[in-house]
Amino acid sequence: MMITMDLYELRLRPRSSWRTPWCADTIFGLLCWARARRDGGARLRAEILDPSLAGAPPFVVSDAFPTGWMPVPATLRGGDSLERYRRRYPSERSIVVKRVRKTRWMTDAGFAMVQHGQDAPIEDFSRDDVIRSVDDIQNQIGRDSNTTSTGGRLFVSESWALRGPNTELTIYVRTTQQDLDRLNELFRELESTGFGADVSTGKGEFVITSPLTPCPRWDQVPGANASIVLSSFQPAAGDPVDGFWDSFIKHGKLGPDFGLDNVFKRPMVLLRPGAVFLEPRAFFGRAVPADQYLAPEALEQLGNASVFPIHPAFGLAFPATIL
């Protein structure tokens, strides 16, 4: 597939910790909600949902990464690549295993070297996770009473925040020039509402520090023979299978706006950012139709209201040369 959409980056500064991970499918979904609020459900379906189901989304997004950091490509975690690092640092074999095989992040500069078929120095791999976990104490709310129980029932929930000097997150976006202004507006709409769960209590607040800006340097890889995917995504039936990846199970939920009794999606298998496939593409993945991830009763309720949501599971990719 030829790269037909231009590549942009958007930067934002979190003003609070966040309860929902900044995954590509969640970002895409919340932008869809912003579009529905601005222009109505009919425009959303005609201009985003239906094209996505046909494999031609008007935009694709990456997960959000701490600015200056990238996910470690899966090719580095084993095989010939890991052996090259062991030979390169013979006196630091345990450090090599910990940094290369187990760390989640590497610097932009190190990632660019890997993208061009080179081995990045061990110093370009993060020593610590650049995103930290935060424990929040909350009071349980009864579903019947919508209030706290007598005496209160406290529990701990997890949220996340940037660690150390990291102050911003970067999201990469592929889209066309004609959709650029509208997409910037949707991100501004999301900025006004907040990101993810518990926005009413201040979670997920952020400000956009740099709107969508062209970043063609990441597409300038002469002789690329592969792709590095920067999103949490689910491969489509026609996607290549030769590659390297890590998978995980996502237990998602529909937004409260649908008014369903059962908001839980079926567990979905997604691939983590850093997946590598031996074919250059602009993006991978698919839009998952509702009948593949919703319970029958939820599907019936939505069908009666003529609402047919999707789960956007596309993966934005950078070209790469893999040794």
Side-chain angles (χ1 to χ4, degrees):
M1 178 183 296
M2 297 294 292
I3 295 177
T4 58
M5 293 189 289
D6 295 324
L7 182 63
Y8 300 87
E9 65 178 14
L10 177 141
R11 294 188 179 183
L12 60 91
R13 178 175 294 115
R15 299 179 61 185
S16 66
S17 60
W18 55 89
R19 283 286 317 279
T20 301
W22 285 84
C23 293
D25 54 345
T26 305
I27 298 170
F28 191 115
L30 289 175
L31 292 174
C32 287
W33 276 113
R35 183 63 189 278
R37 287 192 295 269
R38 289 179 64 90
D39 302 320
R43 292 282 298 275
L44 169 66
R45 172 152 296 280
E47 298 180 17
I48 297 181
L49 302 190
D50 287 344
S52 295
L53 283 169
F59 62 88
V60 291
V61 300
S62 73
D63 285 23
F65 308 124
T67 298
W69 297 91
M70 288 288 205
V72 174
T75 49
L76 302 187
R77 300 192 186 280
D80 294 340
S81 179
L82 187 59
E83 186 57 35
R84 288 198 304 272
Y85 276 102
R86 285 171 169 160
R87 291 196 302 267
R88 187 174 176 181
Y89 303 94
S91 63
E92 303 177 75
R93 294 175 67 90
S94 62
I95 295 177
V96 167
V97 171
K98 181 178 181 180
R99 293 267 192 94
V100 178
R101 199 172 184 182
K102 296 183 179 181
T103 192
R104 181 180 177 187
W105 308 103
M106 67 188 310
T107 64
D108 281 0
F111 183 92
M113 292 181 67
V114 175
Q115 195 184 7
H116 287 78
Q118 305 169 43
D119 288 331
I122 194 68
E123 293 78 18
D124 282 318
F125 293 83
S126 172
R127 292 180 176 84
D128 301 298
D129 201 336
V130 292
I131 294 178
R132 62 186 176 89
S133 174
V134 179
D135 288 337
D136 297 312
I137 305 299
Q138 293 185 292
N139 206 336
Q140 189 175 53
I141 303 296
R143 291 196 176 194
D144 295 333
S145 64
N146 201 34
T147 63
T148 58
S149 59
T150 302
R153 297 183 62 183
L154 299 179
F155 66 96
V156 177
S157 63
E158 186 178 26
S159 60
W160 294 271
L162 291 171
R163 182 189 296 275
N166 304 290
T167 61
E168 292 186 337
L169 295 171
T170 296
I171 300 172
Y172 295 96
V173 179
R174 287 199 186 278
T175 190
T176 61
Q177 181 66 40
Q178 67 184 46
D179 287 321
L180 187 61
D181 289 342
R182 182 181 295 114
L183 199 52
N184 266 318
E185 292 173 359
L186 297 183
F187 273 109
R188 290 293 185 190
E189 177 80 11
L190 184 57
E191 177 188 44
S192 70
T193 60
F195 178 84
D198 289 349
V199 293
S200 62
T201 63
K203 296 297 181 182
E205 290 189 1
F206 69 92
V207 293
I208 295 172
T209 56
S210 176
L212 291 167
T213 304
C215 54
R217 69 188 185 280
W218 294 112
D219 279 341
Q220 296 168 356
V221 184
N225 62 0
S227 299
I228 304 175
V229 188
L230 301 184
S231 311
S232 304
F233 79 106
Q234 185 177 95
D239 284 347
V241 297
D242 291 335
F244 310 83
W245 60 83
D246 295 317
S247 62
F248 68 102
I249 304 295
K250 181 163 187 173
H251 300 272
K253 294 192 297 183
L254 284 172
D257 307 70
F258 288 115
L260 296 179
D261 297 326
N262 180 9
V263 298
F264 294 97
K265 299 179 181 179
R266 292 170 177 159
M268 302 180 66
V269 179
L270 300 180
L271 304 190
R272 296 186 187 280
V276 176
F277 291 93
L278 304 182
E279 182 180 321
R281 289 195 179 193
F283 66 90
F284 295 80
R286 68 185 185 124
V288 185
D291 61 352
Q292 295 184 18
Y293 66 86
L294 289 180
E297 61 273 15
L299 197 63
E300 182 179 2
Q301 280 184 270
L302 292 176
N304 291 336
S306 297
V307 175
F308 305 97
I310 65 170
H311 186 102
F314 295 101
L316 181 148
F318 285 179
T321 298
I322 299 300
L323 301 177

